[in-house]
Amino acid sequence: MPPARLAAVIAGVPVAALVLLWATGNAAAVPALLAALLVALWGCRLAVAWMGEQRALAAVLGRINAGAPSGAVPPSMGREVANELQLLADTARARAALVDRLLRAEESIVERLPDPLIVLGQDRAVLRANAAARAAFGADLAAVLRHPQLRAAIDRALAGGSGAAPQSADLRVPVPIPRELQAMVVALDSPLAGGTGVLAVLSDRSRERAVERMRADFVANASHELRTPLASLIGFIATLRGPAADDPPAQAKFLGIMAEQAERMNRLIDDLLSLSRIEITEHQPPSDQVDVRGVVERVLAGLQLSIAKRGVRLNWAPPAALPSVPGDADQLEQVAQNLLDNALKYGRQDGVVRVTLEAAEPGGRWPARPGLVFSVCDDGAGIPKQHLPRLTERFYRVDTGRSRAVGGTGLGLAIVKHIVNRHRGVLLMESEAGSGSTFSVWLPAA
Ligand SMILES: Nc1ncnc2c1ncn2[C@@H]1O[C@H](COP(=O)(O)OP(=O)(O)OP(=O)(O)O)[C@@H](O)[C@H]1O
Ligand SMILES: [Mg+2]
């Protein structure tokens, strides 16, 4: 209010009363006029003082608003007002600090969430994408958000409003790399989204889906591997009961084949059981100390007959004293057995198999910690490069016919890989078609 109006409000009534008294002859002219003048002057002074205090109060409130201390309060306002203003300033500053902390906490939770999280406005514009979303999709985020399944889930979420259940969608995105994502989309009333927006969490499920497919493939493969010898057994039983019932030479021949097939089923079941036992213990590293040289020599002794049969020249220079390593002797025996078995089966007839065991040079191809390296190297036909990454998959064979013909189940290297994992070791497979193969296992020393 302008000071003149304020002065008129304060002094108007008494001045009017004095003028009325003078006009009705109830007061002498000079004293009445003097009194009216004094009252008017007093009103002006009060108005100026009042306006000054208002300006000072506005300045104090301005400082509080800006988060600064309240500063000096005019003494005329009194101690109580000054105290309250100080309190207001302290509370406002504490609240601002709390809001700031909460905002930063929320920001860092959203930012550090391991799954990609995206906030979209009502118009589906991206308002926020956390670090995981930026890292996962980068410039391809818009393309991912255009995926028909995801768009449909966003539409459903927006239509349902903020109280509705989350909408999910499974999508395969080809960019930036092919991935399988599970999207959970929830509508939210967020000031950030400027009204109702949506929150989309896109979790990468590629690994889980791959594991699911592997499990399904594993069951299918295992059944198939068992069914082949079983079908052959059923066939021979029918032949023995029927056409060969009175043919002892044929019976002897068929029984021989049946024994072989039964033996193959037995091996397969042994390998499957052994694989599942190793998988169960894979997370517990072995605690016994094993002399690996002794293990290798035991396996070599057991293979003398096969080595002789294949006409293979074995090149094995036993190392001088080597430290023992933490391990499971039976499992390490299985590793040596499977790798040597492969070298004999798939290596060259009358070829050379070189077996080495030595302390690993830390760094380079092996971990920087001390360890031992056991290698089996053959000079056979080798393995084309494209097969190498898949050799340790269950039932994976380069040449299925050849593997079956030599009694292979396709589980040997899968078993080796799991045992090496349990020992926290490293399995390295090197080969080139035509120039032999080398399989090396690094084991950490105690
Ligand atoms: N030294 C090698 N040289 C050439 N190919 C090899 C060699 N070792 C393994 N392979 C290839 O890798 C495949 C997988 O080997 P793996 O030991 O897992 O199974 P397998 O030998 O067929 O059967 P199993 O070991 O269970 O009796 C083999 O079928 C073979 O094709
Ligand atoms: Mg094998």
Side-chain angles (χ1 to χ4, degrees), residues 337-339 341-343 345-346 403 408-413:
Q337 173 78 38
N338 287 353
L339 295 183
D341 188 49
N342 282 351
K345 279 196 304 199
Y346 309 111
S403 162
T409 61
L411 291 172
L413 289 175

Side-chain angles (χ1 to χ4, degrees), residues 49-63 70 72-77 85:
W50 175 271
M51 291 309 294
E53 273 185 18
Q54 270 202 344
R55 272 197 297 276
L57 186 62
V60 171
L61 290 174
R63 284 196 294 276
S70 61
V73 175
S76 55
M77 278 189 195
L85 283 173

Side-chain angles (χ1 to χ4, degrees), residues 280-422:
I280 289 169
T281 57
E282 201 171 320
H283 61 282
Q284 313 172 317
S287 51
D288 291 349
Q289 289 294 318
V290 179
D291 162 28
V292 185
R293 178 184 162 167
V295 165
V296 175
E297 287 186 332
R298 272 200 300 281
V299 173
L300 285 173
L303 283 170
Q304 283 315 314
L305 205 66
S306 318
I307 292 172
K309 257 196 200 159
R310 291 283 285 164
V312 161
R313 188 158 61 80
L314 182 73
N315 190 336
W316 161 242
L322 274 176
S324 56
V325 299
D328 178 317
D330 288 344
Q331 291 188 348
L332 291 180
E333 218 164 278
Q334 238 175 321
V335 168
Q337 173 78 38
N338 287 353
L339 295 183
L340 281 160
D341 188 49
N342 282 351
L344 294 175
K345 279 196 304 199
Y346 309 111
R348 197 161 54 85
Q349 170 88 31
D350 304 321
V352 179
V353 170
R354 195 157 55 84
V355 182
T356 58
L357 178 68
E358 57 199 12
E361 287 288 326
R365 60 206 325 227
W366 306 119
R369 290 164 291 141
L372 295 186
V373 180
F374 166 67
S375 301
V376 178
C377 177
D378 66 62
D379 57 356
I383 305 162
K385 263 202 165 47
Q386 72 271 23
H387 294 288
L388 286 176
R390 301 197 57 191
L391 283 189
T392 55
E393 286 177 23
R394 291 146 202 226
F395 300 115
Y396 190 85
R397 292 139 159 153
V398 177
D399 178 348
T400 310
R402 166 121 195 250
S403 162
R404 288 225 177 97
V406 290
T409 61
L411 291 172
L413 289 175
I415 292 174
V416 168
K417 184 190 82 174
H418 284 283
I419 295 176
V420 172
N421 284 351
R422 184 183 172 214

